[in-house]
Amino acid sequence: MKKILLLCCMVTMLLGLSGCSPSQPNEDYGWLKNAIDTSVRQLEETVTDVGDSVLLPRSIWTGYDMDFLCRQLQRNPATFKDSLRIKPVKDALGTRRYCTSVYDWTSGFFPGSLWYAYQLTGIEDLKNDAVKFTNYLYPVRDYKGTHDVGFMMNCSYGNAYRLAPADSIRQILVQTADNLCNRFNPNINSIRSWDFGKWNFPVIIDNMMNLDLLFYVSHLTNDSKYKEIALKHAETTLRNHFREDHSSYHVVSYNNDGSVESKCTHQGKNNESSWARGQAWGIYGYTSCYRESRNVVFLQQAENIAALIMARVKTGDAIPLWDYDAPDTAETPRDASAAAITASALIELSTWAKDGQMYFDYAEKLLKSLSSDAYLAKVGTNQGFILMHSTGSLPNGSEIDTPINYADYYYLEALSRYMQVKGLDYKSL
Ligand code: GLY
C-alpha cells in the first residue's frame, strides 16, 4: 500500500512540475467543441461575406458618449479634451469595421485566426482562405514605420510558415525582422514603438509582443542577432516599465542617452493605472522571453504579472474590466481581448513554472468564461466575429465593448495551446 501511495505521489509531482494535466476521458469537452465549431462557422461566414474585396475585418464600429467616457476616466468634463476621439459617422455604427489598409496594426489577426482554425480542425478550405488573406499583407515586408510589423507579419506569415512552410515566406519574415531590428537603438537598448506623437523615443509595453517574430527568425536563420536584440529590449523594458507591484506603465519614452524622458498612458485610465491589455501583453511577452532564453528573471516577471492579474481582477468570471483601476460599476466595459491574451500566455507559462497547474486552471477558467453565451457569439451574429465585449482604446473613444480581431486570434491560439497541453485533438472531442 505504501508503495502504491508513493507512486501516486511521484506521478502527481511530475504532472505538477510539467504543468500538464492528462486528458481525462470522462471530462466534458462540449464547451470546447462548441467553441471551435462556432469559431469556424463565424470565420467561414466572414470569408464569404468579404469575398474578393481585399478587406481585413477588424471590429464593429461603436460610438461613445462623452459623459460615459468622463465617468470611466474619472475626469471632469470641463477639462476633458475631445479633439482626438474617433467619431464614426452615424450610419457606420454597428457595421463591420475593416483595417484602413494592410498597414493597420491589426491586419495580421484575421489571417492568423484562419490559420489557427485550420490548425485546430484540419479543414483544407480554411487553409486556402488563410493563404489568400495572408498574401494581402505582402507589401508590409517593406514597411519600416512601426514596431507593429511583428504583430502583423508573425500572426499572418509566421503562422503560414509554421503550418505550410515555403522559402518565399521565410524571406518575407527575415526582411520584416530586419526592418524591426533597424528600429533598435543601441544607446537606449530598445526597439522604438511609434513614429507619431511628441515623445522622443516611445516604447510601449505592447512591443513585447513583437519579440516573437525576432525569436522565430533567429531559429529560421540560425542567426542569434535577432534574439539578442529581442532580449536586450526585454531587459530594458523590465527595468523601466514596471512599478513595484509589477504592474506596467503603457508608454515609456527615452532620451537619446537612454535615460527615461517620461512615463504615461495612451490607452489606459490614467498614467498610473493598470490598463488591462497592457498587463496581458507583459505576461505573454515575458513568457516568450523565458522560453527562448531560459533566464529565470523573465520567468519570475511573468509569474509576478500573473499574480497581479489574478489578485486584481474584479469580476466573478475573471474577464477583466478594461483597466484594473476602472470604476467597479455595472456600466464599465470589460476587455475580452485581455482575457484571451492572458489565457494563451498562462497556458504556456503553466508548462514552465513550478506551480504550473495553478496557471493552467486559471487559463481554463478564462477560456470557459469566454466560451459561454456571455462572450461567445451565436453563429450568424456579431458581424462574423467570434467573441463579444472587448475594449480597444477607451480614452480615444475607439472600439468600446465590441468584438475585435485580436481577441479572436488569441482566443483561438489559447484553445489550440489548451488542446496541446491536454493532448486532445478535434476529432476526439
Ligand atoms: N497594441 C495596441 C493595443 O493593444 O491596443
Side-chain angles (χ1 to χ4, degrees), residues 248-275:
S248 164
Y249 285 94
H250 184 198
V251 187
V252 174
S253 178
Y254 294 92
N255 296 307
N256 293 342
D257 63 2
S259 59
V260 171
E261 179 192 43
S262 60
K263 299 186 182 194
C264 64
T265 197
H266 187 61
Q267 287 166 247
K269 184 182 161 212
N270 58 48
N271 291 344
E272 294 302 324
S273 76
S274 301
W275 173 50

Side-chain angles (χ1 to χ4, degrees), residues 84-147:
L84 291 177
R85 313 278 97 72
I86 303 231
K87 299 182 178 79
V89 285
K90 247 199 170 147
D91 286 352
L93 296 180
T95 65
R96 189 181 291 138
R97 175 176 171 178
Y98 292 97
C99 295
T100 40
S101 74
V102 292
Y103 304 107
D104 179 318
W105 81 273
T106 71
S107 62
F109 295 118
F110 183 69
S113 291
L114 291 166
W115 281 114
Y116 271 118
Y118 165 63
Q119 179 185 327
L120 282 161
T121 60
I123 297 172
E124 225 27 52
D125 279 352
L126 287 168
K127 178 182 171 187
N128 298 334
D129 295 332
V131 170
K132 172 177 153 180
F133 282 90
T134 294
N135 283 332
Y136 292 165
L137 274 79
Y138 187 62
V140 181
R141 76 199 188 289
D142 286 324
Y143 190 45
K144 302 178 175 71
T146 176
H147 68 143

Side-chain angles (χ1 to χ4, degrees), residues 105 206 267 275 277 281 406:
W105 81 273
D206 323 29
Q267 287 166 247
W275 173 50
R277 199 164 50 259
W281 294 142
Y406 43 88

